[in-house]
Amino acid sequence: GGERMGAAAIAARIPLSRATPRGRDSASGLAFDEPGGPLVAVFGLAGGAGTSTLSLLLARQAAAGSSCPVLLTEADPFHAGLAVLAGRATPHALLELAERVAADTAPSETFIELESGLRLVAATPQRGPAADPDAVRTLLGEARAAHGLVVVDCGMNWSGDCPALLAATHILWSIPA
């Protein structure tokens, strides 16, 4: 029950309308055509190091060349850098979605599509109770199963118990110049 609802909530497993990958002539090599791809956690060593910008640009580049959807989200709903950069926000932050999915009360709309193939889960700045780390890891696992790539902007939250860090297949660090 709950795991299936989690997958439906975060990704809806909606196939993209484009039948063939775009941008294969791109030199980036960032193309994801099958779900279950990597989960990249992006961490900053200092505020203003560019974690949100790096996360957004990585997700945009990957979505441009992929036939499988790419999910971009953020781990810290208080700072909300992605919503500011993207100029759009979702009603619920990742942590709130994790709690709602775990309680089988997931909302029907969980993400917005920024551009073709690029899904965003990022709310305006908000404070709330801390989410259960297991619920967040479970939701990230479901998101990974439904997307070619998941990019999580973790800001400066790089503690050893960070759910995105524990779920990540790849880690990127940004440092101030």
Side-chain angles (χ1 to χ4, degrees):
E3 287 184 19
R4 289 207 184 278
M5 186 169 192
I10 194 78
R13 297 190 191 252
I14 300 168
L16 295 177
S17 59
R18 60 182 185 254
T20 57
R22 298 179 294 140
R24 289 294 186 189
D25 54 38
S26 160
S28 74
L30 287 174
F32 299 92
D33 300 327
E34 298 291 329
L39 187 147
V40 177
V42 183
F43 295 92
L45 292 179
T51 59
S52 297
T53 302
L54 179 59
S55 298
L56 178 61
L57 294 176
L58 173 63
R60 275 192 171 145
Q61 184 68 36
S66 300
S67 60
C68 199
V70 171
L71 178 68
L72 173 63
T73 188
E74 60 191 350
D76 184 355
F78 182 66
H79 291 97
L82 287 178
V84 171
L85 280 176
R88 296 182 61 200
T90 55
H92 309 283
L94 177 72
L95 301 183
E96 180 187 352
L97 282 177
E99 288 294 317
R100 292 187 66 173
V101 167
D104 282 334
T105 60
S108 59
E109 293 183 29
T110 58
F111 64 85
I112 56 173
E113 194 162 2
L114 284 181
E115 49 204 60
S116 182
L118 179 56
R119 296 171 174 172
L120 175 71
V121 174
T124 55
Q126 54 187 262
R127 284 217 187 265
D132 174 28
D134 289 332
V136 176
R137 277 195 308 276
T138 298
L139 186 58
L140 287 173
E142 289 293 323
R144 186 172 169 221
H147 292 86
L149 174 68
V150 175
V151 179
V152 183
D153 175 4
C154 298
M156 294 188 312
N157 179 20
W158 42 278
S159 64
D161 61 350
C162 171
L165 176 62
L166 296 172
T169 60
H170 297 76
I171 300 169
L172 294 177
W173 292 94
S174 61
I175 58 173

